[in-house]
Amino acid sequence: MNVSSTSSSTSSSSLGNTDLQGFGGLVSGLNRDDLIEQLTKSTTNKITEQKQSITKKEWQQEAYRNITDKVISLEDDYLTFSSGGSIKDADLYEKSILTAEGDDNATKYVKASGISDMTDYINIMGVKKLATAASVVSGAKNTDAAITTTMNLNSKATSTTIIAGTSKLKFGHYDTTSNSFVTDGSFTFPASYQDEETGKSISIDYTMEDKEKLVEQLNKAIKQNGATVGNNDLSLEFAYDSATDKLSLRAVDKDGHDATSSSETYKITADDNILSALGVDVSALSETDKKQGITFEAYNGNVATNDKKFSETSVQEEDWANYLEDKKLTIKFAGESNTITLLTSSDKDEVLALDEDQRADKIKSIIQQKINTAYGENKIDVEEDENGNITFAPHDGKTNLMITSSDAELRSNLGISENESTRVNLSGSIYENREKLGFGAEMTEAQLDAALADFSINGNAVTGLTSSMTVGELLTKINDTESLGVKATYMSGTNQFALIASNTGSGRTITLGTGAASTIFGGEGAQFNDGEDAQLTYSYGNGVTQTVSSSTNTFDLDGLSVTVSGTFGYVKDSNGTLTDTIDSSMSVKFSSKADVDGVTEKVKKFIEGFNEIATLVNDQIRNRPDRSYKPLTEAQESEMKEKQIENWNEKAKKGLLYDSSVIRDMSNDLQSVFAKLLSSGYDYKDFETIGITFSDDYQDGGQIKFDEEKFKSAMETQPELVSKLLAGDGDKKGLAQTIEDTLTPYATRFATRNGNSYGKLVEEAGSSKIPLMSLKNNIYKQIKDMNTQIENLQKLLKTQQDRYIKQFSGLEEVINKWNTQSSVLDSIYY
């Protein structure tokens, strides 16, 4: 199918609805729009031709880049040393795979890599010791026999009147037409928010005594999740006055500035319970206020003038039986974790059916039974202390016990921190763990802060420590302070802290100051260990041995990198102490071989990549373009089926670069690769020996043939020959360098190799792999000029259309006048 690329294939007008512009042939009967299209056809054809030219240029750019990107990929993957084994590197073909040979009880501890002329002679006679890092291990920390809670079953539990996930404030306006409140924004009180530094989810405890902290958490949640007050530019913010114990609301702009005065058109509404919980005197609100909402100013005025306190309105007391219903506690004991529901609905009913003086024992009994079901009897004891508070204790008095809950309010009622433990609790604050860390129980937070201000390891201070930080955060702070040169950890199994030097080897010690670091990591029973060097003995098989030391467990032996992971070879005396006597039967030797499979696969892929480039280039210069197939216009595509369009474009894209002198030069250069190699002194038979030859088909554009089996055989028997032919021999460039030199003038990532040019192909069409050149290439500039020409032609077309419309409109007016005069004359005559 051959469609003329310039003929109009649609009857639709290019003028749009021109009936709105003057008279459209109503009087004269002329098809004005068709006539104007014919009169401006020369200009519209020029626009169409320019658009087709742009399409063809874009196709050419794509064709260039297809070749260019493959050239650069070949360079990236096989010809740069950062590619993980450049085929230009002679070491790639060396015997680099080393195998330790000898007694299995020795070879399992030895690994080696590298290339050395002494590989076949080196014997590892023995390893006397491994390198160790300096370390400090604290004595076992104090442990509590029980976890004591503040859950006194003879008193009341404290719960919040603000229900997370349910309690909601609504913002909006009152619609007098529908007589209803229209919600434009809302805020639901959240159960948690995300800590910006750690990314950890922080549960919000609405019963906490520190209301200032509570309000701070609420505002963080708003910033993370948003809470518009109706105007998307304004957000909600809580403000707490600790002096008056009042909670107010305000609207803030995006910069955090108070904009309450500009939000007066937006009102607040909520159910009576949440308003009361926030400190509003609901009885002072009229029914109209409740229905239509109140302004921020009215809300804050109500809160400020009544006698309610936020610390009182936001919490309430209730019976433990009611409070514990459906509350869950997670218990970890002896490596097992279970979550129990403290009281079910039926449990609660059973408790409340008893007299008040019997309820506490019943609740304790129910919880004990559930723990027994989870872990067995006589594992964890639920008791009361002398103050009536519930305690949880391991029955044997020593197994680690931990309790926690995701419910911050429940933790508050129990008086525990996250992951409360009979041992050090990494999730608890330093202050909460002060006794277990070695500080006095009577120490105040202020005193502990002062102690933490003097915290140093290896003479370097750790700053910013506070008693409110968790123990886990303390360890993280130490590990993140590189100047200390240590890593800190807590060993829960033995309830000890440890500091380990970041580097192994002798001459390294860990020192603790006299402050808090010594209290936590030192103290009674602490062990200080200096670092030691590794020690290895080897020989060249001549009976002469040498003993060498290393600060790491890796040794450099004549170019070989030998890493050891255990001791062997040295004889022990009757006490199990190593002597200086070596058992020669435990010596380890090395055999080496080239990485035949790895190198073969790499060279195979390299040649396939080169052949792919040669094929693309060859196709462009061998396929003549059919100039009768031009890019389709939108109008033409609308009349064709998808398959027809595909077939048409396939023919239109044929030979896009046929006339490119750059592609023809590149084709000639690709076909001359072997000629360059042979002219530099290589023997073609040597290439045949390693399975790499020039294709005997002169029409395939210079492809290289690769015989995988021959190449593998050559790698196993003549790796030196493979290296010379591929990586080069002295001043003679090998196949890899010759191909790189051939391709670099056309495309390269390294402009400095090419006279500060990224190559002829890149200069012509750019490359997706070199973004810098996306707007700095010849085709881009040509397309840009063509678009400018189209803009000018479109302006000319508009001018021509407007002129013809004006002329036709004038003609219509003249004919209309003639018709009017003729009608008058006719009426007079008759």
Side-chain angles (χ1 to χ4, degrees), residues 160-163 167-171 187-190 206 211 214-215 218 236-241 244-249 268-282 294 299-300 302-304 306-315:
T160 179
T161 54
I162 302 171
I163 311 302
S167 296
K168 179 184 293 187
L169 291 173
K170 298 178 182 178
F171 309 98
F187 172 71
T188 301
F189 286 83
Y206 288 93
K211 298 304 178 185
L214 170 60
V215 171
L218 287 175
L236 173 67
E237 185 176 86
F238 291 96
Y240 178 69
D241 186 340
T244 61
D245 195 6
K246 298 285 187 177
L247 180 70
S248 59
L249 308 180
I268 307 165
T269 185
D271 63 43
D272 290 355
N273 290 335
I274 183 58
L275 289 175
S276 296
L278 298 177
V280 175
D281 183 2
V282 176
I294 58 176
Y299 179 98
N300 292 331
N302 178 299
V303 170
N306 67 48
D307 59 357
K308 299 178 183 296
K309 306 293 185 183
F310 179 56
S311 60
E312 297 172 353
T313 61
S314 59
V315 296

Side-chain angles (χ1 to χ4, degrees), residues 381-652:
D381 298 329
V382 182
E383 302 288 351
E384 285 184 77
D385 67 5
E386 64 276 9
N387 298 315
N389 294 320
I390 294 297
T391 65
F392 296 84
H395 187 75
D396 61 8
K398 60 182 180 180
T399 303
N400 188 27
L401 170 66
M402 183 169 66
I403 63 174
T404 190
S405 174
S406 59
D407 186 337
E409 183 183 288
L410 176 59
R411 294 200 306 270
S412 178
N413 271 290
L414 296 181
I416 62 172
S417 59
E418 278 191 275
N419 302 317
E420 187 73 32
S421 173
T422 54
R423 296 186 179 177
V424 174
N425 176 14
L426 297 183
S427 301
S429 70
I430 298 174
Y431 181 75
E432 291 168 341
N433 285 276
R434 63 192 182 282
E435 287 185 81
K436 297 172 184 175
L437 295 175
F439 299 100
E442 72 287 348
M443 180 175 274
T444 65
E445 290 188 64
Q447 290 172 331
L448 184 53
D449 284 333
L452 291 170
D454 180 14
F455 193 107
S456 65
I457 298 173
N458 290 334
N460 295 300
V462 180
T463 60
L465 301 180
T466 64
S467 60
S468 62
M469 293 177 64
T470 68
V471 178
E473 288 171 340
L474 167 65
L475 298 181
T476 299
K477 183 81 170 177
I478 294 171
N479 293 334
D480 289 346
T481 306
E482 293 184 7
S483 61
L484 303 180
V486 299
K487 295 298 179 183
T489 188
Y490 170 67
M491 301 178 290
S492 60
T494 59
N495 198 28
Q496 292 173 288
F497 286 94
L499 291 173
I500 303 172
S502 302
N503 298 307
T504 57
S506 63
R508 294 185 172 92
T509 60
I510 297 177
T511 60
L512 304 174
T514 58
S518 179
T519 302
I520 297 173
F521 294 97
E524 184 179 354
Q527 299 175 356
F528 288 77
N529 304 299
D530 293 340
E532 291 189 341
D533 288 340
Q535 187 174 308
L536 174 148
T537 299
Y538 74 103
S539 77
Y540 293 111
N542 54 6
V544 179
T545 62
Q546 288 183 295
T547 299
V548 292
S549 297
S550 172
S551 61
T552 69
N553 289 317
T554 298
F555 298 81
D556 185 0
L557 304 179
D558 295 300
L560 290 188
S561 178
V562 178
T563 300
V564 295
S565 58
T567 58
F568 64 90
Y570 282 87
V571 178
K572 295 180 180 179
D573 61 19
S574 58
N575 296 321
T577 303
L578 288 176
T579 67
D580 290 330
T581 303
I582 294 177
D583 180 359
S584 59
S585 68
M586 298 296 289
S587 66
V588 175
K589 297 185 66 176
F590 300 104
S591 63
S592 61
K593 66 176 183 177
D595 181 9
V596 175
D597 291 337
V599 174
T600 300
E601 185 65 18
K602 183 176 281 286
V603 173
K604 176 184 175 182
K605 294 294 185 184
F606 170 72
I607 291 175
E608 287 175 351
F610 174 83
N611 287 341
E612 190 174 359
I613 294 168
T615 297
L616 288 173
V617 171
N618 194 43
D619 285 347
Q620 290 296 338
I621 65 170
R622 288 181 58 82
N623 292 314
R624 291 177 175 273
D626 188 341
R627 306 195 188 279
S628 62
Y629 286 88
K630 296 182 180 181
L632 294 167
T633 65
E634 291 182 6
Q636 291 168 341
E637 287 187 349
S638 67
E639 296 181 348
M640 300 170 68
K641 294 181 180 179
E642 186 175 341
K643 188 62 178 177
Q644 290 176 310
I645 295 173
E646 183 181 331
N647 292 336
W648 179 279
N649 287 340
E650 182 180 344
K651 294 176 181 177

